[in-house]
Amino acid sequence: MALESKFKNDLKKEKHLFPFLDSIYEKHLKHYSFHRIHALREQLEGTDLILTHLISKKTFIIDEKAQLDYINDDLPTFAFELSYQKKGEPKIGWLFDVTKKTDFYSLITAIYSDEPNKFTSCKITFVNRENLVGFLEARSITQTYLEQFVVKADKVHGKIKIPELDSKNEGYLFYSAQNKAEKPLNLILKLDFLIENGLAKRLI
């Protein structure tokens, strides 16, 4: 019941967050038109928005990821999902899922609200998914490589350092084995690290 209530609460937050985000996109993406996707099938494929360049007409598929669990908090990191469990069965997370159509992640952080479901400000960071995956693979950080940490993580809960990343300035793994039913294994990356390496750009 608690998980169901949290899910419904998150959906309510998202419903109120979307118009706020749309107003930001309209203001700051002056060279693009955008179309919000509401069909669940397309959302599951990693499509929340479609941006279209006004001149070239080139389109980009955007997957929005919002830190709704951290309202009124400004975290320097973001969690990229590697794996999770559904009814006890392991599932691949959205970062390395080849079935996703995502071109860019829109990471919504530092979400501030002065009253329930009324948002006043946030930060939005666009991450080029192909470039990020390529960058990680160049450091030998692949889904296959990280699977070994899934096995090790079954015996632990929390932060897991990996030799390919500076845990203080770049990133690390985090396994939520005890406090979440889905038991997600996430790759936690510093937003500044992504920006400094040309993998991301801050919109606001």
Side-chain angles (χ1 to χ4, degrees):
M1 182 61 71
L3 288 174
E4 183 179 357
S5 297
K6 183 182 182 303
F7 178 72
K8 289 181 178 180
N9 188 45
D10 285 348
L11 288 179
K12 186 176 181 181
K13 288 179 182 177
E14 287 182 355
K15 182 180 178 180
H16 287 86
L17 181 63
F18 291 155
F20 176 65
L21 293 176
D22 287 349
S23 68
I24 294 174
Y25 295 140
E26 187 173 358
K27 179 179 179 180
H28 293 276
L29 294 173
K30 298 185 182 298
H31 300 295
Y32 295 85
S33 63
F34 67 91
H35 173 63
R36 180 168 292 283
I37 302 301
H38 298 284
L40 180 59
R41 180 183 62 81
E42 292 180 83
Q43 290 177 340
L44 292 174
E45 292 174 345
T47 306
D48 288 317
L49 290 174
I50 296 178
L51 298 184
T52 303
H53 194 274
L54 295 176
I55 298 177
S56 70
K57 304 302 179 182
K58 187 174 182 179
T59 61
F60 301 93
I61 295 174
I62 311 299
D63 189 359
E64 290 177 314
K65 302 294 183 184
Q67 288 182 338
L68 290 170
D69 287 341
Y70 303 95
I71 301 296
N72 295 324
D73 198 357
D74 187 0
L75 301 184
T77 58
F78 206 92
F80 293 79
E81 185 183 72
L82 300 174
S83 66
Y84 64 98
Q85 292 186 17
K86 184 176 182 179
K87 296 182 180 180
E89 294 294 323
K91 302 289 183 179
I92 189 171
W94 43 262
L95 178 59
F96 288 114
D97 187 345
V98 296
T99 68
K100 302 298 185 187
K101 298 181 178 180
T102 308
D103 294 314
F104 289 87
Y105 298 115
S106 177
L107 308 183
I108 300 104
T109 63
I111 305 169
Y112 283 86
S113 173
D114 54 11
E115 58 184 272
N117 298 316
K118 185 174 181 180
F119 303 103
T120 56
S121 65
C122 70
K123 294 178 180 178
I124 298 179
T125 306
F126 279 107
V127 178
N128 185 306
R129 185 191 184 208
E130 182 179 1
N131 289 352
L132 173 59
V133 171
F135 178 87
L136 293 173
E137 289 179 345
R139 288 200 179 189
S140 300
I141 303 173
T142 64
Q143 180 71 24
T144 302
Y145 170 70
L146 293 173
E147 283 176 354
Q148 66 177 296
F149 292 97
V150 177
V151 177
K152 295 177 182 179
D154 281 334
K155 302 176 182 179
V156 300
H157 169 83
K159 184 176 181 179
I160 306 168
K161 296 181 181 180
I162 60 175
E164 291 75 15
L165 291 173
D166 179 338
S167 61
K168 182 178 180 181
N169 300 308
E170 298 179 341
Y172 51 88
L173 297 181
F174 195 94
Y175 185 54
S176 300
Q178 299 174 5
N179 60 338
K180 294 186 178 181
E182 299 87 355
K183 296 185 178 181
L185 178 72
N186 293 319
L187 179 62
I188 309 299
L189 295 175
K190 295 275 188 176
L191 292 171
D192 285 347
F193 166 66
L194 295 175
I195 294 171
E196 289 165 3
N197 283 277
L199 306 172
K201 185 176 182 179
R202 181 69 49 77
L203 181 64
I204 61 168

